Amino acid sequence: MCIPPNITHPYLHCFHSPHTMEASTGLFTGTDNSNELVAIQGHDEPKPVKNLDGQLCEICGDSVGLTVDGDLFVACEECGFPVCRPCYEYERREGTQVCPQCHTRYKRIKGSPRVEGDEDEDDVDDIEHEFKMEEEKYKLMHREMLQGKMSSGYDDENAKSTLVDGELPISSYSVGEPGGAKLDNKERIHDWKLHQGNNLIETDASDDPEKNMKDETRQPLSRKVAIPSGKLSPYRMMVVARLIILILFFQYRIFHPVSDAIGLWFASVICEIWLALSWLVDQLPKWFPIDRETYLDRLSTRFEPENKPKMLSSIDVFVTTVDPIKEPPLVTANTVLSILALDYPADKISCYVSDDGASMLTFEALQETAEFARKWVPFCKKFSVEPRAPEKYFSEKIDFLKDKLQPTYVKERRTMKREYEEFKVRINALVANSIRVPAEGWIMKDETPWPGNNTNDHPGMIQILLAHSGGHEGNELPCLVYMSREKRPVFQHHGKAGAMNALLRVSAVLSNSPFVLNLDCNHYVNNSKVVREAMCFFMDIQLGNSIGFVQFPQRFDSLDRNDRYANKNTVLFDIYMRCLDGIQGPVYAGSGCIFRRKALYGFDPPKASKRQRLVQVHSKQDENGEDASVTGTDEDNKQLLKSERNLESKFGKSALFMNSSLTEEGGIDPSSGQAALLKEAIHVMSCSYEDRTLWGYEVGLNYGSIASDILTSFKIHTRGWRSIYCMPKRPAFRGTAPINLTDRLNQVLRWAVGALEILFSRHCPLWYGFNEGRLKGLQRIAYINSAVYPFSSVPLLIYCLIPAICLLTDKFIVSSVGTLGGIIFISLFISILSSAILEVRWSGVSLEEWWRNQQFWVIGSVSAHLFAIIQGLMTAFSKFNTNFSVVSKAPDDDGEFNELYTIKWTALLIPPTTIIIINIIGIVAGFTDAMNSGEHSWGALLGKLFFSLWVIVHMYPFLKGLMGRQNRTPTLIVIWSVLLASIFSLVWVRVDPFVLKTKGPDVKQCGISC
């Protein structure tokens, strides 16, 4: 066991093999010359991988086996590509029915069941000609089988039966005596299949369990689950009905103008048309929602055989953090601990924590976390506890004794809780000591200055806090690495996207796992089997190669019971994402996503017409435990790839990194020594590495937008990859969300600005990727909607002001409504309500959650989206840069939701407040005018009041948050809102611009009596 001591020297360190990492003897950092090696420790050369040769199946690694005649089984007569019978049968029944190497269609082999397409071949059906039995012998056997006297159908000396992948057992037994009458061929075969086949299947499972297990490994690891038609079909019908009613509605509105308020009528019709188109664009991708189901037991059976090395793919986990004040170290520590305790082979996990703030507090907290992990991880795996974030586990008010059978559990849980409380005290002490920054900067324990004292100008730092061999025997720990990329003032660092790309390069040099998991520091693992859930898709033989990433829904803790500001985003995660999964896949949501590394590198998915030589997506191992690296392309394809692309201009000047990008199954290049790996680790994390490369443009996470997650997934989908939305019964990840109104509006503002940056860039989804034709039409519409949705704020803002204008001017946007008009208006209202109810019915979202999303959509549109349009236009047509501000991710420790009632000044609060005040003034003015005008004016007032109350009801969460717990609102907000509302109301009444002005003589002056 290697325990990292205290910090001693500021040098850079890296490890040399994904499974032979050793904990470093201190913190290591680069110098001004990023390529200079300061210290190199002893190392072992990686073991060369061993390829599978001989008569082994090139798909599953099992023996090819023999035919029913005892000859060597040959699946393809053209090229002789070695494939075993189960893989051959599976490919014919479920796959493309062609050889993976020469792409020749598989012909039916003696003893194999027929599949679609075999009728075109001229071969003779051996099943019908192998069983030439006489009637008496067949009847005797038939009677014995029905009486249960035969266990296997035939004697071992005279017969040999073969069970092919759960299909009809094929027997080479032959009986007959001359002169016997024969049964009709078809009838005999039918009866034989019905009786003898079933009997043989039962006995085969008991006589040969290994063969039955092999048959189980051919089953799919996941499947699509369609939404019940009884729930989905009424919803689709109502959407169509709503569209038809909208057409009738606009026909009525356009052909029935309001003559005495033509301007008001015209503005309302334009707004209604825009909002209707926005609804239609949002609705089209929702046509094909699906669910998915995974089979974790099949994954274990196939890739975790007993008494053999694990064959699951390795994974690198990235955790990003910036500010230890807004992202407390205890929150980050819980996330890291939940990752290290994943229910996955420890030697397959490497966790990288990127500290973009170069904070000594974060580094020391991670050191304490590594020490506590030596106790926490074995406890979690021993007792299978959930969740595996200790803060959440010990704070849950549940029966922790449920399903716990070990008698020592209570005692060890009590001990572990005490250990965690002591761990929290140590972390809190570090936080308290970090409040006052010394004048000379932070000093490490060996009196060496902390290299990150200047957060904007510091070298790269890295330390291995845990190695794979860091635990006790039988309690191995995953690898834990702390790193902080180099920063210099003259370079652009691109926020989180830049940190993620640095993690991609460093991890490629150090461990190079084929899959990477991205988590924010406040999103802990709530389901320890989450990686296995994703591997059910990635490691599927037939579909895995085309999957670029698997996205999980985001769930949140510490929210108020009513979710006032729709922080759960249930409409996005429980409705919209599931609908996209039925097209080409969900978008990347910024966290909780497992990527295929090659998809992030900008490679295209394998084409179905040009299948790779191997279709496995997992790393194989032989019985001795040695890695067997599997390349997915032939050497000729690799040479072609090198000749077609300038890898240096794409990936940068790193030979080791370029070589790692060409390995299909990941792993470290065996020809590289530790010195070379150490040098490249220093080099690839330097801030100048990305100069004159395609990093951030075609490789890694994309730059150019705050919403780099949406842009990255868009680029991946345009290359032809598909994504998967995985919703396990136990939520995969949980985190914290901003419950403060100001923080929530700033978060929405950042998303909207990022969307507009994509719209005004060269990656605009309106036209980008059309030449390739790999992005499906409905998927493109979904991306267009994600880019243009902020523009709906303008018509929505106008529509929220129109009710107040109508009340102040005593005009209305609709002329006198007749019978036809009344039917259309009522039908439209019913269709809107019905489609909402049917949508929540098939999706499982509660009506309250759906309504909260609708309310905050209006609030965000008239505030954050409106400012985003201004900021986005300034960014697109000027050199104005948008800054990324980290939202506070500290949990609400006191449980009283103090942040929920805190009002922080921001200009985003002014437009919604103004709208509320204007509508309140309009309601008061309307009632006053109705009382002065008589009873005949009350009917017209009701329609105006309905629309005005519609606005106020949608604004209710904002109004409630604005008042605060003590009904106190910042004076500045009140003054500005009242002032703007008063000026607007007075000017409007005076000008009355939407009322038609009539010209003619003044009747009072001319004396005309009307």
Side-chain angles (χ1 to χ4, degrees):
M1 178 174 68
C2 299
I3 302 176
N6 296 329
I7 311 168
T8 56
H9 300 289
Y11 301 124
L12 182 95
H13 175 78
C14 84
F15 45 89
H16 46 80
S17 171
H19 305 307
T20 59
M21 295 184 251
E22 297 179 357
S24 62
T25 58
L27 176 68
F28 296 86
T29 178
T31 61
D32 292 337
N33 182 1
S34 298
N35 291 322
E36 180 179 345
L37 289 179
V38 181
I40 300 177
Q41 308 216 352
H43 64 281
D44 298 325
E45 292 292 337
K47 296 181 180 180
V49 297
K50 178 181 178 182
N51 293 324
L52 295 174
D53 297 324
Q55 301 304 323
L56 298 179
C57 175
E58 289 289 347
I59 294 181
C60 66
D62 295 333
S63 175
V64 170
L66 304 177
T67 64
V68 294
D69 296 329
D71 301 325
L72 182 66
F73 181 80
V74 179
C76 180
E77 299 177 356
E78 297 293 329
C79 65
F81 186 74
V83 175
C84 64
R85 180 182 283 274
C87 291
Y88 160 82
E89 299 287 356
Y90 183 88
E91 181 65 27
R92 277 172 45 85
R93 186 176 67 252
E94 303 290 344
T96 58
Q97 302 183 0
V98 298
C99 173
Q101 179 167 282
C102 66
H103 307 295
T104 303
R105 186 184 185 279
Y106 277 137
K107 294 183 178 180
R108 179 176 171 274
I109 297 177
K110 182 179 180 181
S112 298
R114 287 188 176 274
V115 296
E116 184 179 358
D118 287 346
E119 291 78 11
D120 299 334
E121 300 178 3
D122 296 328
D123 60 337
V124 179
D125 193 338
D126 54 277
I127 295 181
E128 296 185 358
H129 289 269
E130 284 182 0
F131 303 101
K132 305 293 184 180
M133 303 179 182
E134 293 187 359
E135 184 175 4
E136 291 81 9
K137 189 69 176 178
Y138 177 81
K139 289 182 178 180
L140 176 62
M141 294 172 57
H142 190 184
R143 286 194 300 269
E144 290 176 344
M145 285 187 292
L146 292 179
Q147 295 172 2
K149 296 181 179 180
M150 296 184 65
S151 60
S152 60
Y154 304 107
D155 295 334
D156 293 339
E157 297 179 358
N158 300 328
K160 178 174 59 178
S161 298
T162 305
L163 180 63
V164 181
D165 198 23
E167 300 291 340
L168 173 69
I170 309 302
S171 175
S172 59
Y173 187 91
S174 165
V175 293
E177 295 180 2
K182 298 184 178 180
L183 289 173
D184 180 75
N185 216 21
K186 293 183 179 180
E187 183 181 356
R188 186 178 71 251
I189 295 300
H190 179 268
D191 290 341
W192 188 90
K193 290 179 181 179
L194 182 63
H195 300 290
Q196 185 179 0
N198 293 337
N199 193 26
L200 284 177
I201 289 176
E202 294 177 0
T203 58
D204 187 81
S206 59
D207 293 343
D208 195 357
E210 292 185 0
K211 182 178 293 186
N212 189 51
M213 181 175 293
K214 290 181 180 180
D215 184 54
E216 176 68 20
T217 61
R218 304 304 159 200
Q219 300 298 322
L221 300 178
S222 65
R223 71 182 182 98
K224 291 182 181 180
V225 180
I227 305 296
S229 58
K231 295 181 178 180
L232 190 58
S233 296
Y235 169 71
R236 289 174 173 172
M237 294 172 61
M238 184 53 62
V239 169
V240 174
R242 182 175 172 179
L243 182 61
I244 295 174
I245 295 174
L246 273 174
I247 296 174
L248 297 175
F249 170 79
F250 285 119
Q251 182 184 19
Y252 179 86
R253 292 281 283 129
I254 293 173
F255 290 101
H256 292 79
V258 182
S259 57
D260 59 342
I262 195 70
L264 199 62
W265 166 82
F266 181 77
S268 64
V269 171
I270 294 298
C271 293
E272 289 164 358
I273 292 175
W274 181 278
L275 294 176
L277 290 175
S278 176
W279 169 81
L280 182 61
V281 171
D282 181 73
Q283 197 64 48
L284 286 176
K286 293 183 179 180
W287 204 249
F288 303 103
I290 62 170
D291 288 325
R292 293 186 183 272
E293 187 178 76
T294 57
Y295 302 105
L296 300 182
D297 52 343
R298 296 178 183 176
L299 181 75
S300 298
T301 301
R302 187 176 303 180
F303 299 107
E304 295 181 294
E306 295 182 3
N307 303 322
K308 291 184 180 180
K310 309 299 183 184
M311 297 187 295
L312 293 170
S313 290
S314 58
I315 185 170
D316 295 334
V317 186
F318 299 160
V319 179
T320 55
T321 182
V322 179
D323 188 351
I325 303 302
K326 293 184 177 180
E327 301 168 332
L330 188 61
V331 174
T332 304
N334 271 269
T335 299
V336 172
L337 288 170
S338 67
I339 294 170
L340 299 179
L342 280 168
D343 183 6
Y344 205 72
D347 60 331
K348 303 288 186 179
I349 303 175
S350 299
C351 179
Y352 296 81
V353 180
S354 171
D355 178 18
D356 237 22
S359 171
M360 185 173 170
L361 171 60
T362 302
F363 173 73
E364 291 181 336
L366 283 176
Q367 281 189 314
E368 294 288 348
T369 302
E371 291 300 320
F372 180 70
R374 302 178 190 277
K375 306 172 184 177
W376 173 250
V377 173
F379 170 78
C380 291
K381 294 188 175 182
K382 179 179 180 181
F383 298 106
S384 302
V385 300
E386 294 284 1
R388 299 190 177 182
E391 182 70 25
K392 185 64 177 177
Y393 172 68
F394 290 119
S395 63
E396 280 190 334
K397 297 179 180 180
I398 59 174
D399 182 11
F400 60 87
L401 297 178
K402 185 179 180 180
D403 299 330
K404 297 297 184 293
L405 304 179
Q406 298 92 328
T408 61
Y409 171 68
V410 175
K411 180 179 179 180
E412 292 192 36
R413 184 184 188 275
R414 189 181 301 116
T415 302
M416 186 54 59
K417 186 174 183 179
R418 184 175 64 252
E419 293 282 354
Y420 178 65
E421 290 173 349
E422 294 175 356
F423 167 73
K424 288 178 64 175
V425 170
R426 294 194 296 269
I427 296 295
N428 292 334
L430 293 175
V431 174
N433 294 334
S434 66
I435 295 177
R436 295 183 179 181
V437 182
E440 66 278 8
W442 295 109
I443 304 297
M444 294 185 288
K445 294 180 180 179
D446 64 340
E447 299 183 355
T448 304
W450 171 250
N453 277 322
N454 187 343
T455 58
N456 295 320
D457 188 3
H458 66 84
M461 296 175 284
I462 189 169
Q463 178 170 350
I464 303 174
L465 301 173
L466 284 175
H468 287 305
S469 58
H472 300 283
E473 184 177 356
N475 290 320
E476 292 77 10
L477 296 175
C479 178
L480 175 61
V481 181
Y482 168 88
M483 63 160 286
S484 180
R485 57 179 172 148
E486 181 186 13
K487 284 191 175 181
R488 303 298 177 190
V490 295
F491 290 94
Q492 287 283 342
H493 301 294
H494 305 288
K496 179 182 176 180
M500 285 285 294
N501 288 340
L503 284 167
L504 271 175
R505 295 192 296 271
V506 171
S507 63
V509 172
L510 303 181
S511 54
N512 196 31
S513 297
F515 304 102
V516 296
L517 166 61
N518 160 228
L519 285 178
D520 287 342
C521 65
N522 64 319
H523 282 187
Y524 64 88
V525 179
N526 186 64
N527 184 344
S528 62
K529 298 183 183 295
V530 60
V531 177
R532 295 178 180 270
E533 295 276 356
M535 291 304 166
C536 285
F537 302 105
F538 283 121
M539 302 184 73
D540 187 84
I541 295 178
Q542 295 297 321
L543 304 177
N545 282 346
S546 63
I547 298 174
F549 61 91
V550 175
Q551 177 67 54
F552 293 87
Q554 296 181 8
R555 307 301 185 196
F556 301 100
D557 298 325
S558 303
L559 297 179
D560 59 299
R561 183 175 58 87
N562 296 321
D563 190 21
R564 179 184 297 175
Y565 306 127
N567 285 284
K568 293 180 181 179
N569 282 323
T570 49
V571 171
L572 172 64
F573 291 114
D574 289 12
I575 297 179
Y576 203 68
M577 289 289 205
R578 292 163 66 187
C579 296
L580 292 180
D581 198 16
I583 307 173
Q584 197 172 344
V587 299
Y588 169 38
S591 180
C593 183
I594 299 183
F595 287 96
R596 184 185 298 276
R597 186 181 287 268
K598 299 191 81 64
L600 287 175
Y601 283 171
F603 290 105
D604 294 335
K607 296 181 180 179
S609 59
K610 297 181 179 180
R611 293 188 58 179
Q612 299 177 353
R613 185 170 183 266
L614 299 180
V615 294
Q616 290 292 92
V617 297
H618 61 274
S619 299
K620 296 182 180 179
Q621 293 179 317
D622 60 14
E623 295 182 356
N624 296 326
E626 296 180 350
D627 290 340
S629 178
V630 183
T631 58
T633 57
D634 295 333
E635 291 297 325
D636 295 338
N637 293 336
K638 290 184 179 180
Q639 295 299 329
L640 180 60
L641 180 62
K642 292 180 180 179
S643 63
E644 290 178 350
R645 301 186 179 184
N646 190 337
L647 295 181
E648 184 174 309
S649 63
K650 180 177 181 179
F651 294 116
K653 297 180 180 180
S654 172
L656 284 179
F657 179 82
M658 287 188 288
N659 290 337
S660 69
S661 67
L662 294 177
T663 57
E664 187 74 14
E665 301 305 326
I668 302 301
D669 187 355
S671 63
S672 300
Q674 184 176 0
L677 294 176
L678 186 58
K679 181 178 180 179
E680 293 305 315
I682 299 172
H683 178 47
V684 299
M685 70 185 304
S686 63
C687 54
S688 61
Y689 181 81
E690 294 183 354
D691 287 351
R692 295 181 293 276
T693 68
L694 295 181
W695 279 99
Y697 302 95
E698 299 295 333
V699 182
L701 269 73
N702 290 88
Y703 304 150
S705 172
I706 296 177
S708 60
D709 47 2
I710 301 293
L711 182 56
T712 300
S713 62
F714 175 62
K715 296 289 291 293
I716 291 176
H717 281 140
T718 53
R719 296 189 190 105
W721 295 96
R722 73 153 295 124
S723 56
I724 297 294
Y725 195 55
C726 182
M727 296 180 65
K729 293 181 179 179
R730 181 178 180 86
F733 308 101
R734 299 190 73 91
T736 57
I739 62 174
N740 178 265
L741 177 59
T742 303
D743 291 341
R744 178 72 167 125
L745 289 177
N746 282 322
Q747 185 184 57
V748 175
L749 172 64
R750 185 173 68 251
W751 294 342
V753 171
L756 293 177
E757 287 175 344
I758 297 175
L759 181 65
F760 295 137
S761 70
R762 69 183 185 91
H763 299 111
C764 177
L766 288 169
W767 56 75
Y768 184 84
F770 257 116
N771 295 334
E772 290 80 2
R774 299 176 181 177
L775 190 66
K776 295 184 178 180
L778 290 179
Q779 191 79 16
R780 182 176 296 277
I781 292 176
Y783 277 112
I784 292 173
N785 183 42
S786 67
V788 303
Y789 76 90
F791 284 106
S792 296
S793 62
V794 176
L796 192 58
L797 175 65
I798 297 173
Y799 215 70
C800 288
L801 292 173
I802 284 178
I805 296 172
C806 293
L807 289 168
L808 291 171
T809 59
D810 197 22
K811 304 297 179 182
F812 200 41
I813 59 176
V814 180
S815 59
S816 57
V817 179
T819 304
L820 177 62
I823 294 175
I824 293 176
F825 281 107
I826 294 175
S827 300
L828 180 60
F829 179 78
I830 294 176
S831 67
I832 293 174
L833 183 62
S834 301
S835 61
I837 294 175
L838 292 173
E839 185 175 64
V840 301
R841 180 171 175 264
W842 71 255
S843 64
V845 176
S846 68
L847 191 59
E848 180 184 5
E849 291 174 333
W850 182 90
W851 174 240
R852 282 284 182 263
N853 277 269
Q854 288 296 114
Q855 286 179 311
F856 201 80
W857 170 70
V858 176
I859 296 171
S861 294
V862 299
S863 57
H865 295 175
L866 194 64
F867 280 80
I869 293 176
I870 300 173
Q871 194 168 340
L873 292 174
M874 293 174 63
T875 303
F877 301 107
S878 67
K879 295 183 179 180
F880 180 80
N881 292 324
T882 55
N883 295 322
F884 173 77
S885 58
V886 180
V887 178
S888 177
K889 299 172 182 176
D892 190 12
D893 295 329
D894 54 14
E896 297 180 358
F897 303 106
N898 289 328
E899 280 291 313
L900 182 66
Y901 304 101
T902 303
I903 301 297
K904 304 175 184 178
W905 159 249
T906 175
L908 297 176
L909 301 176
I910 294 178
T913 307
T914 304
I915 291 175
I916 293 174
I917 293 177
I918 289 177
N919 277 274
I920 293 176
I921 293 174
I923 292 174
V924 174
F927 270 104
T928 303
D929 183 68
M931 287 186 294
N932 294 332
S933 301
E935 297 180 357
H936 65 278
S937 60
W938 286 99
L941 177 64
L942 292 178
K944 302 173 186 178
L945 287 177
F946 175 81
F947 286 105
S948 188
L949 291 175
W950 175 88
V951 175
I952 295 177
V953 168
H954 276 80
M955 292 288 182
Y956 175 74
F958 176 85
L959 182 61
K960 190 174 181 180
L962 195 65
M963 301 306 295
R965 176 176 290 177
Q966 292 80 22
N967 294 332
R968 295 180 180 178
T969 302
T971 306
L972 190 60
I973 297 176
V974 176
I975 292 175
W976 273 103
S977 301
V978 173
L979 181 61
L980 289 176
S982 302
I983 294 174
F984 181 84
S985 301
L986 292 174
V987 171
W988 195 276
V989 172
R990 179 68 182 86
V991 177
D992 207 4
F994 287 160
V995 178
L996 183 63
K997 307 296 183 181
T998 58
K999 296 182 179 180
D1002 189 346
V1003 295
K1004 292 183 179 180
Q1005 295 181 0
C1006 66
I1008 300 175
S1009 178
C1010 298

